[in-house]
Amino acid sequence: MATVIEKPEHVRLTEQGKPVTLLEAIREGMWEEMERDERVFVMGEDIGAYGGAFKMTDGFLDRFGGSRVVDTPISEIGFTGAAAGAAHMGMRPIVEMQFIDFISCAYDMITNYIATSRYRGSGGVPMVIRGPSGGGVRGGPFHSQNPEMAFFHTPGLKIVYPSTAYDAKGLIKAAIRDDNPVLFFEHKWLYRRPQLRETLPQEDYVVPLGKARTHREGTDLTIVTYAAMVHKCAEAAELVQKEDGLSVEVIDLRTLLPLDEDAIVESVKKTNRLLVVHEDTRTGGIAGEIAMRVNEKAWEWLDAPVLRVAAADAPVPYSPPLEDYFLPQVDDVVKAIRHLAKY
C-alpha cells in the first residue's frame, strides 16, 4: 500500500482554529481541492521540490506526488498549452505563473485557443491560471505588473482578484470547480501582511465568482476598487470620515470578469457619486468600463462626474521613491474623495 503523507502543519492552520494570511488561505484552498478531486493537479516552474517562488506549493509534492505536482520547463506558452490539453481530457489543472508578468508569454494560447474553445465547439477548458501580481514590493518592471486588462476584453475568460484571506480561499476553490478558464491574480503586497490574517471557517465554503462585496458601508460617495487598493481606499475612507464627516462606501469587485454591474449601480444610486480606484495604469484600465456602464445605467442619479485614481501610464519603476509616486496612495484617494464631495 502507498504511504499516506500526513498533512503538514502549514496547511492545517484553519483546522487548528488559527488565523491565516492571504497566501496561506490560497494554499489551503488548493490543497483541499486536490484532496477533494483527484482530477485537480498543479503545474509550473519550481513548484515541486522547491515549493514555488513564494512557497505556495510547499509540501504538495510529498503529499500528491510527481504526477499531480508537475515541475515544468521555462515555457509559459508550452505548459499552459499542455494544461489546456489536460483539461480537454477531463483533468482540472492549476497553472502557476511564477510571476504573473510572464503570463504575456502565454497570451496567444490563452486568448486564441483557451478562451475560444467553448465557442468553437471544442468544449469547456476547466483550468485556473494563477500567480503573484502587483507592485509596492520593489520588484521592478518585470515582477510588479497588473496585466488583468490585457485579458479583460477577451470573451470566454473569467478574471478574479481577491483582497482578503476569506475571499482568496473561497474564490480559488470556486475557480478550480468552475468549468471555464479562470485567471486568478494574487497581489504580492497582500500575501503575508499580518493585518490581513483571518480565522477562516473550518467547513468547506466557496465564494461565488462574479459577485462584488461591500467592504465598507457608506452614504455620501462610492469607491469601486479591488485587490490591494481595497485596503488603501478603506484607510482613506476612515480618514475623511474622521476629518470631514464623510461617509464613504467601498465596493470590492473581487471578480473583474464577469463584472458585477448590479452591485456598482445599486451603490451609485444610493450615494450619487462614484470614484474608481485601481493599481493598474490609467489608460485602458477598468475605470473606463465602469464609468461607461454607470453612464448607461445610473446617469440620472449622479450628482458629480465619475472620477478615477490609478497608476501613471508608465512601466513600474524599480526606484522605491518613484514606485511610490507611480502607485496610487491613500493621499491620492483622499484628495479625490474631497473633490467629489464638494462638487
Side-chain angles (χ1 to χ4, degrees):
M1 294 180 63
T3 302
V4 177
I5 304 298
E6 184 178 353
K7 183 184 290 189
E9 193 74 13
H10 63 271
V11 288
R12 297 184 61 239
L13 297 176
T14 292
E15 291 179 10
Q16 297 171 352
K18 297 178 180 178
V20 299
T21 63
L22 188 138
L23 184 149
E24 290 164 342
I26 296 170
R27 177 195 286 147
E28 286 187 357
M30 291 197 298
W31 185 287
E32 290 174 12
E33 290 305 298
M34 290 181 73
E35 287 191 329
R36 187 187 69 87
D37 187 346
E38 63 181 11
R39 298 173 300 168
V40 179
F41 72 99
V42 295
M43 61 191 305
E45 299 159 5
D46 300 323
I47 67 165
Y50 188 67
F54 291 85
K55 300 301 179 184
M56 181 67 78
T57 51
D58 186 26
F60 279 53
L61 181 63
D62 292 338
R63 169 64 179 86
F64 299 105
S67 63
R68 296 183 68 195
V69 183
V70 183
D71 274 322
T72 67
I74 304 176
S75 175
E76 284 79 10
I77 192 169
F79 61 72
T80 302
H88 279 311
M89 298 304 294
M91 302 296 285
R92 305 186 82 87
I94 306 170
V95 174
E96 175 174 300
M97 298 289 164
Q98 195 166 84
F99 287 84
I100 207 67
D101 311 58
F102 309 140
I103 198 173
S104 60
C105 299
Y107 185 81
D108 175 68
M109 181 59 63
I110 295 169
T111 58
N112 278 336
Y113 183 78
I114 292 171
T116 64
S117 178
R118 189 182 295 279
Y119 295 82
R120 290 182 285 103
S122 299
V125 188
M127 61 184 291
V128 176
I129 302 172
R130 50 155 295 272
S133 54
V137 296
R138 314 317 187 196
F142 297 121
H143 298 82
S144 306
Q145 295 178 49
N146 286 281
E148 58 268 21
M149 292 306 291
F151 301 93
F152 184 81
H153 185 63
T154 303
L157 298 176
K158 295 186 178 183
I159 301 175
V160 178
Y161 211 155
S163 70
T164 68
Y166 178 91
D167 285 344
K169 182 173 182 179
L171 288 166
I172 191 66
K173 290 168 73 71
I176 294 168
R177 298 181 192 185
D178 201 284
D179 289 329
N180 301 284
V182 180
L183 307 186
F184 196 92
F185 293 80
E186 305 160 5
H187 203 291
K188 300 185 293 297
W189 189 73
L190 302 179
Y191 261 168
R192 294 184 172 91
R193 292 188 74 77
Q195 303 95 321
L196 299 187
R197 288 184 181 273
E198 290 185 72
T199 302
L200 304 182
Q202 297 193 17
E203 65 272 13
D204 181 42
Y205 76 93
V206 297
V207 173
L209 305 186
K211 296 293 183 182
R213 173 183 64 89
T214 301
H215 184 79
R216 187 183 191 277
E217 297 276 356
T219 56
D220 295 328
L221 182 145
T222 295
I223 298 179
V224 173
T225 187
Y226 60 94
M229 290 296 113
V230 169
H231 304 285
K232 291 194 176 183
C233 290
E235 185 178 343
E238 293 290 340
L239 192 151
V240 296
Q241 180 166 12
K242 179 180 179 181
E243 296 186 359
D244 305 90
L246 294 172
S247 174
V248 177
E249 183 150 292
V250 178
I251 302 295
D252 179 1
L253 290 175
R254 302 195 293 192
T255 301
L256 309 187
L257 196 64
L259 187 64
D260 191 350
E261 181 180 288
D262 291 343
I264 298 169
V265 169
E266 180 182 352
S267 181
V268 169
K269 287 182 176 181
K270 177 173 70 171
T271 68
N272 312 118
R273 286 172 169 80
L274 174 61
L275 174 65
V276 185
V277 181
H278 55 70
E279 184 178 316
D280 189 18
T281 48
R282 184 175 187 269
T283 300
I286 200 170
E289 178 65 28
I290 291 172
M292 193 64 233
R293 295 198 189 194
V294 169
N295 180 66
E296 293 169 342
K297 298 291 182 68
W299 170 259
E300 297 90 344
W301 282 268
L302 287 173
D303 290 337
V306 177
L307 294 187
R308 59 186 165 180
V309 173
D313 288 333
V316 184
Y318 184 72
S319 160
L322 283 179
E323 186 181 29
D324 289 342
Y325 177 80
F326 165 85
L327 293 172
Q329 302 296 341
V330 172
D331 286 348
D332 301 317
V333 179
V334 167
K335 290 176 183 176
I337 291 172
R338 286 172 173 164
H339 175 78
L340 272 181
K342 292 177 181 177
Y343 189 88

